[in-house]
């Protein structure tokens, strides 16, 4: 179906799911109750959390006062020659501005890492003309707090007043709000009744995007153009339809293949990935989004659901067992996918607004830091520049080479399983490693996800631990080229990144997930060795 802002077409299992699920959703007035912020829609266990997380349904209108505030701030800072905007944030605080700015064609530096090489690179570039936006609901996110501290120190060392260069986006009354205002920083408050992954149209999405030069008023206009449509209790409601496609297939096709099929929204699959995975992957249930390149999928397994992200003028008719096309403007699609995820959560039977295993991984990392530990437990063996470790079930019996260890890991794959590659590396400098995902998926004939750590911990990390127990996990860590101290803290960025990797592996192991941990004792030599081994495993020629 087509509306003024979005277009949706589906065939096969997706169409059958719409026929089966949407009439009941309409009968119970799910859409209108959602937009009335009814917290009872997901059951009694979810009610308390939902009661404080539903303001996102009205953001297209309630966020309007931010437009003038952002315009005034941008004029002020550009008049001072501040033309480079750096965003320090994680998860929803970074992924939404990243896709908004990429779609608008305006530059934004997204610092969503604790990997010291990536942090040092961001610090080293054009500090004189840099404006920093620090985004955190409470200020307790350690990555963002560390990034803020290191930028404050850098500005002070350069003789620049940090309060003139740093803008804080946070919830009203949060510890970060209070300390920042007391310190003289510019603070913009976000709606506190919105969770991070639903916050694209709050100050978290709009402030860094608008300061970078994106037209955030147009984004709100796009979302408002479909707000009334998505609130209608009607079988043609595209939010209900897409939610049924995602969460209503029978049996559930729980691997959602998100394919770039010519969309005009760069990186939109990554934003959708976080929204779906963190919202639905819990209680042993959920949907695993798998972001793939343009026209990559060739055939679907019985547990796979293909969603083609197409351009607005693409009028193709979907063909296949379970294929859906979705297009529309960015603001309209953001609201569409948020509604669809809330619908899918209802159909699957989970609370789409909490993220218990994200919190458990944070706690495990903190424990490792407090104990003075990171990812440096004793390796099972060393092959060249790569130290090989495991966590969870022991599956390395007899393996004493990198190739053998990788084969032992994928031997754990079940017919409905998937491989997750989790690289705690510099995602801007080590991009070649991500290119191994597609050929691995082709060779294994099972979904393969690729996540940069610690970024993915606020995204697919929840699904890996809380979703169905059918994944196998390849974790890659490295010794940094040069470590970097976190001002005012008793740990470095390198130690913190190691602790995050160790905490992630620990929680996966606690959930009985098999983890192969490859540590690059020499970054360049180890990366070359791992790349070659993954290429070989996918049937290519090792270099």
């Amino acid at each position: 179906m087509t509306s003024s802002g979005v277009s949706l077409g589906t065939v096969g299992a997706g169409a059958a799911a719409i026929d089966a699920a949407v009439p009941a959703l309409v009968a119970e007035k799910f859409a209108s109750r959602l937009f009335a912020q009814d917290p009872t829609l997901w059951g009694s266990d979810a009610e308390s959390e939902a009661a404080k997380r539903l303001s996102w349904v009205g953001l297209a209108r309630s966020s309007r006062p931010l437009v003038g505030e952002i315009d005034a701030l941008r004029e002020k800072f550009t008049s001072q020659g501040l033309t480079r905007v750096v965003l320090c944030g994680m998860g929803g605080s970074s992924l939404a501005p990243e896709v908004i700015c990429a779609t608008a064609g305006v530059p934004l530096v997204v610092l969503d890492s604790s990997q010291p090489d990536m942090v040092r690179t961001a610090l080293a570039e054009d500090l004189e003309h840099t404006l920093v936006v620090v985004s955190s609901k409470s200020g307790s996110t350690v990555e963002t707090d560390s990034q803020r501290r290191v930028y404050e120190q850098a500005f002070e060392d350069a003789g620049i007043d940090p309060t003139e260069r740093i803008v804080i986006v946070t919830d009203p009354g949060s510890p970060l709000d209070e300390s920042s205002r007391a310190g003289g920083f510019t603070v913009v408050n976000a709606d506190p009744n919105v969770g991070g992954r639903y916050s694209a149209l709050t100050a978290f999405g709009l402030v860094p995007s608008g300061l970078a030069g994106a037209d955030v008023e147009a984004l709100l206009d796009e979302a408002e153009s479909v707000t009334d449509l998505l609130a209608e209790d009607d079988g043609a409601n595209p939010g209900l339809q897409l939610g049924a496609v995602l969460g209503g297939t029978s049996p559930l096709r729980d691997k959602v293949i998100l394919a770039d099929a010519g969309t005009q929204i760069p990186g939109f699959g990554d934003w959708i990935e976080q929204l779906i995975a963190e919202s639905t992957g819990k209680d042993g249930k959920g949907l695993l989004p798998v972001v793939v390149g343009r026209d990559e999928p060739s055939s679907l397994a019985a547990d796979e659901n293909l969603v083609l992200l197409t351009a607005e003028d693409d009028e193709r008719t979907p063909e296949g067992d379970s294929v859906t096309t979705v297009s529309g403007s960015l603001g309209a699609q953001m609201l569409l996918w948020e509604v669809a995820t809330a619908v899918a959560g209802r159909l699957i039977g989970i609370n789409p607004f909490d993220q218990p295993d994200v919190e458990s991984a944070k706690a495990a990392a903190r424990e490792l830091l407090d104990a003075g530990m990171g990812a440096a437990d004793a390796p099972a063996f060393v092959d060249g520049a790569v130290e090989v470790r495991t966590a969870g079930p022991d599956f390395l019996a007899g393996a004493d080479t990198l190739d053998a260890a990788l084969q032992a890991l994928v031997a754990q794959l079940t017919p409905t399983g998937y491989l997750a590659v989790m690289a705690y590396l510099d995602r801007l400098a080590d991009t070649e490693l991500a290119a191994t995902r597609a050929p691995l998926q082709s060779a294994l004939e099972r979904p393969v996800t690729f996540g940069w750590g610690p970024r993915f911990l606020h995204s697919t990390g929840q699904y890996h631990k809380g979703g169905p127990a059918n994944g196998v996990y390849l974790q890659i860590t490295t010794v940094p080229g040069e470590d970097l101290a976190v001002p005012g803290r008793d740990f470095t960025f390198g130690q913190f990144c190691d602790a995050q990797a160790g905490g992630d592996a620990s929680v996966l192991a606690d959930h009985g997930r098999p983890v192969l941990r490859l540590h690059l004792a020499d970054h360049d030599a180890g990366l070359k060795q791992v790349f070659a081994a993954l290429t070989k495993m996918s049937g290519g020629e090792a270099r």
Side-chain angles (χ1 to χ4, degrees):
M1 61 83 61
T2 302
S3 78
S4 59
V6 294
S7 178
L8 174 73
T10 188
V11 295
I18 291 174
D19 292 340
V22 169
L25 293 167
V26 172
E28 67 179 80
K29 300 186 181 300
F30 183 95
S32 60
R33 290 167 62 195
L34 172 63
F35 278 79
Q37 301 185 36
D38 182 348
T40 67
L41 289 170
W42 300 272
S44 57
D45 289 344
E47 188 171 341
S48 62
E49 185 73 21
K52 56 187 178 182
R53 289 289 180 262
L54 288 174
S55 287
W56 55 269
V57 298
L59 290 172
R61 293 158 186 164
S62 63
S63 286
R64 293 287 172 172
L66 286 170
V67 174
E69 185 176 2
I70 293 168
D71 286 346
L73 285 173
R74 176 169 166 75
E75 182 177 351
K76 169 190 171 182
F77 290 125
T78 54
S79 69
Q80 296 172 355
L82 304 183
T83 56
R84 176 176 179 260
V85 180
V86 176
L87 170 61
C88 299
M90 300 299 298
S93 297
S94 63
L95 285 165
E98 187 171 61
V99 72
I100 292 169
C101 289
T103 302
V106 299
L108 175 70
V109 179
V110 176
L111 181 55
D112 57 354
S113 180
S114 53
Q115 208 284 330
D117 296 321
M118 187 171 171
V119 177
R120 283 188 298 101
T121 298
L123 280 173
E125 184 180 346
D126 198 14
L127 192 67
E128 180 182 356
H129 300 101
T130 292
L131 171 68
V132 176
V133 180
V134 175
S135 291
S136 177
K137 283 183 70 66
S138 67
S140 63
T141 302
V142 180
E143 298 101 320
T144 306
D145 176 72
S146 300
Q147 295 153 2
R148 175 186 62 81
R149 289 170 178 268
V150 79
Y151 261 108
E152 284 187 12
Q153 185 68 59
F155 284 133
E156 290 173 356
D157 291 346
I160 299 171
D161 183 353
T163 65
E164 297 179 356
R165 296 297 192 89
I166 297 178
V167 175
I168 306 294
V169 181
T170 189
D171 282 356
S174 72
L176 180 60
D177 182 35
E178 295 175 355
S179 64
S180 298
R181 291 184 187 278
F185 289 90
T186 298
V187 179
V188 181
N189 287 139
D191 188 326
N193 294 316
V194 179
R197 55 191 173 276
Y198 294 84
S199 67
L201 301 180
T202 70
F204 288 112
L206 301 182
V207 170
S209 303
L211 292 179
D215 186 345
V216 296
E217 184 173 21
L219 190 74
L220 294 175
D221 289 343
E222 292 166 0
E224 187 165 11
S225 73
V226 296
T227 295
D228 291 341
L229 173 70
L230 294 171
E232 287 183 2
D233 296 310
D234 188 287
N237 182 327
L240 298 181
Q241 291 189 344
L242 183 55
V245 169
L246 295 175
T249 53
S250 182
L252 181 64
R253 290 176 175 254
D254 64 350
K255 313 299 189 304
V256 181
I257 312 300
L258 297 166
D260 178 352
T263 176
Q264 77 281 15
I265 307 174
F268 194 44
D270 292 334
W271 180 83
I272 298 172
E273 176 187 54
Q274 186 226 9
L275 175 67
I276 293 177
E278 199 171 37
S279 296
T280 71
K282 60 202 74 170
D283 302 330
K285 307 174 185 178
L287 302 170
L288 175 68
V290 183
V291 181
V292 304
R294 182 166 298 189
D295 299 323
E296 183 184 321
S298 56
S299 62
L300 292 178
D303 60 339
E304 294 176 345
N305 206 350
L306 175 60
V307 178
L308 301 174
L309 304 175
T310 63
E312 287 190 77
D313 59 355
D314 190 331
E315 298 181 354
R316 80 178 71 184
T317 300
E319 299 177 354
D321 293 334
S322 187
V323 181
T324 301
T325 59
V326 184
S327 66
S329 60
L330 175 57
Q333 282 210 66
M334 283 179 155
L335 188 57
L336 168 68
W337 281 94
E338 288 168 347
V339 170
T341 301
V343 171
R346 168 60 179 266
L347 296 176
I348 295 169
I350 51 87
N351 173 6
F353 304 112
D354 66 349
Q355 51 283 328
D357 294 297
V358 172
E359 303 307 321
S360 65
K362 289 181 181 180
R366 183 70 252 183
E367 290 175 6
L368 288 174
L369 271 182
D370 291 343
M373 300 167 59
D377 50 311
F381 63 87
V382 178
D383 184 349
V386 179
E387 299 173 355
V388 178
R389 302 175 173 86
T390 61
D394 184 11
F395 55 86
L396 279 187
D400 58 2
T401 67
L402 175 57
D403 289 343
L406 288 169
Q407 290 297 334
L409 176 68
V410 299
Q412 308 303 304
L413 270 174
T414 67
T416 60
Y418 70 97
L419 168 65
V421 182
M422 310 175 298
Y424 286 80
L425 307 178
D426 184 337
R427 70 179 178 87
L428 301 182
D430 299 326
T431 55
E432 65 178 7
L433 194 62
T436 62
R437 191 209 62 78
L440 279 172
Q441 180 162 301
S442 178
L444 297 175
E445 298 183 333
R446 290 305 304 154
V448 176
T449 68
F450 188 98
W452 294 104
R455 173 185 171 114
F456 80 88
L457 292 176
H458 301 261
S459 178
T460 51
Q462 168 62 44
Y463 179 93
H464 294 331
K465 304 171 189 72
N470 58 10
V472 300
Y473 305 91
L474 174 62
Q475 184 184 88
I476 305 170
T477 62
T478 188
V479 59
E482 181 182 340
D483 208 346
L484 180 66
V486 179
R489 295 296 194 190
D490 58 358
F491 55 82
T492 67
F493 278 97
Q495 289 168 335
F496 179 45
C497 192
D498 279 352
Q500 288 180 291
D504 183 32
S506 174
V507 176
L508 285 168
D510 289 344
H511 285 74
R513 271 59 162 175
V515 184
L516 179 64
R517 306 171 64 192
L518 308 180
H519 182 68
L520 314 181
D522 178 296
H523 176 272
D524 291 348
L527 183 61
K528 183 176 181 180
Q529 190 177 347
V530 169
F531 183 89
L534 292 176
T535 301
K536 180 180 178 182
M537 189 167 68
S538 63
E541 293 185 6
R543 62 179 187 176

